[in-house]
Amino acid sequence: MAEPLEEVSVVGLDAHGQGVAANGAIVPLALPGERALVKLEGKRAELIETLNAAPERAEPICRWFGRCGGCAAQHMSPPLYHKWKRGLVAEALEREGVSVDVGELVDAHGAGRRRATFHARFPHGQPDEVGFMRARSHDIIAIDDCPLFNPGMAGAIPAARALSGDLRGLMKPLDISITATLDGLDVDLRGSGPVARAETQKLSRTADALDLARVSNHGEVVIERRPPRVAFGEALVKLPPGAFLQATEEGEAWLAKFAERALANAKRVADLFCGAGAFALRLARRCEVFAADADDAAVAALARAAATTPGVHNVRAETRDLFRRPLRADELAAFDATLIDPPRAGALEQARAIAASALPLVVSISCNAASFARDARVLIDGGFQVESVTPLDQFRFSAHVELAAVFRRSKPKARARRLL
């Protein structure tokens, strides 16, 4: 017997962009102000029919929307979308008791996404599945294109399909990370484990046939036809396999300018969670920079670029796990300011060390509003004031949001300078 349908009124949006009904049910793809006919399954509801479309409803730009899990908000008008995404930051700060006016959402999509991770599965007796995760599922949806990619990603989907086909005999799920670089597509495969000579030869032939810059497996280079490079300002950096990179060039450039403005008067800066040097290599044109990150290959790439780029000097790069061994208060005394750009988990221990130090200025960049707000609370309790928080959108139509903020001490602490 079919389950009965129920009519609900949608009154809000949750953190994932899903409608929230007056009875508390979560209704994917519904918008505030709409009445919807749904099939209830506990607190989740399947949208059967929208009975009255909200004025803020927009036509999705992608035929996969609603099935592909990559986007959450193509059905929202720009004003509603901006309000929702800015609200994610404001609500996270409010939960931690951080009082600050959140700036308007900055559109940093630019030419589009320059990196993506595809997934491949090989179900027995069925066609291979290569694409993105389905919405609200671990199943794969085999997409043919993505309107959010920048032009450099044009061959990414064919590359993912071909390379996964080379490894299908292993019958292991794969994650295929592809990055558009100045020298072509850079691919890092994960999930297969070590590959034998036969698979290596297949991957190499595919790289030649598709003109890929590099193919790696679990970070080990299989074939490098051209060193895959990106530009951080005037510095050209050869990326290590699977290296972190801001999702869009526009987003990276905006964040770098934000940091440079905020740190304009600093002579010695610590760039913590520096990656391959997107900020350090720009800042080092006018000040001394100490750069630290746990990723040894990324730190080495930064150091090589600093040594070969005219005008970039006074950079010291160090491999250091800042989660387990954050810069201590006495070490931070060597600097006028610090820039922190941690992964999604945030930088709680480093924030505590900064709060205990006499450091007067912090520029914080984050890709997670919740961990950012938690760490901001630590800095504020340690004597900092938050001057500004700006949400940045380089993950268009998703629930992910980047943040950039400035923290400054209202009453500078006396400190004894100590050089690292």
Side-chain angles (χ1 to χ4, degrees), residues 122 166-174 192-196 199:
F122 309 102
D166 293 336
L167 300 181
R168 77 174 317 277
L170 303 177
M171 299 302 287
K172 294 182 179 180
L174 297 175
S192 68
V195 294
E199 282 75 26

Side-chain angles (χ1 to χ4, degrees), residues 72-371:
Q74 289 187 20
H75 62 314
M76 298 183 195
S77 68
L80 177 61
Y81 173 72
H82 288 192
K83 180 182 178 182
W84 166 68
K85 208 154 201 183
R86 179 179 176 273
L88 298 177
V89 177
E91 290 163 12
L93 291 169
E94 185 178 353
R95 284 193 296 270
E96 294 290 345
V98 176
S99 178
V100 60
D101 288 334
V102 177
E104 291 301 314
L105 183 70
V106 174
D107 181 2
H109 182 71
R113 295 284 300 269
R114 59 178 170 179
R115 60 179 175 86
T117 298
F118 302 92
H119 309 284
R121 304 290 184 267
F122 309 102
H124 290 281
Q126 299 179 42
D128 297 353
E129 299 174 345
V130 183
F132 290 146
M133 292 290 188
R134 283 186 178 273
R136 300 169 294 281
S137 170
H138 292 292
D139 295 336
I140 306 298
I141 180 165
I143 63 169
D144 293 328
D145 60 81
C146 178
L148 300 185
F149 285 170
N150 77 14
M153 290 286 285
I157 294 173
R161 286 176 174 163
L163 293 167
S164 64
D166 293 336
L167 300 181
R168 77 174 317 277
L170 303 177
M171 299 302 287
K172 294 182 179 180
L174 297 175
D175 294 334
I176 308 158
S177 297
I178 302 185
T179 301
T181 75
L182 296 173
D183 304 283
L185 294 177
D186 181 27
V187 184
D188 186 39
L189 302 161
R190 303 271 167 165
S192 68
V195 294
R197 179 179 177 84
E199 282 75 26
T200 297
Q201 290 175 335
K202 290 179 184 178
L203 295 172
S204 296
R205 286 195 293 268
T206 296
D208 286 334
L210 299 182
D211 194 28
L212 306 178
R214 179 174 65 187
V215 175
S216 305
N217 181 52
H218 288 270
E220 296 294 325
V221 175
V222 174
I223 180 173
E224 183 173 282
R225 303 176 64 252
R226 296 180 296 277
R229 300 169 301 162
V230 295
F232 294 153
E234 296 177 18
L236 289 177
V237 179
K238 177 185 173 182
L239 289 178
F244 171 79
L245 194 64
Q246 294 291 342
T248 69
E249 293 180 61
E250 182 83 10
E252 178 196 287
W254 190 96
L255 291 168
K257 289 178 182 177
F258 177 91
E260 287 172 328
R261 287 194 301 269
L263 298 169
N265 296 322
K267 296 180 180 179
R268 291 170 295 274
V269 174
D271 181 359
L272 307 181
F273 306 94
C274 64
F279 304 122
L281 292 168
R282 289 172 164 102
L283 293 170
R285 301 192 70 84
R286 57 160 196 79
C287 67
E288 297 178 20
V289 178
F290 169 77
D293 197 286
D295 187 336
D296 183 63
V299 171
L302 187 165
R304 285 193 298 270
T308 56
T309 303
V312 173
H313 48 80
N314 294 325
V315 179
R316 179 185 169 191
E318 178 181 303
T319 301
R320 179 162 174 166
D321 187 338
L322 296 167
F323 291 109
R324 293 185 172 87
R325 197 162 65 89
L327 258 67
R328 305 182 308 271
D330 62 316
E331 293 176 298
L332 289 165
F335 305 104
D336 304 312
T338 186
L339 183 154
I340 57 175
D341 181 18
R344 292 187 60 80
L348 182 57
E349 293 305 317
Q350 187 60 74
R352 287 170 173 163
I354 292 171
S357 76
L359 198 70
L361 175 64
V362 177
V363 173
S364 177
I365 294 169
S366 172
C367 61
N368 185 296
S371 62

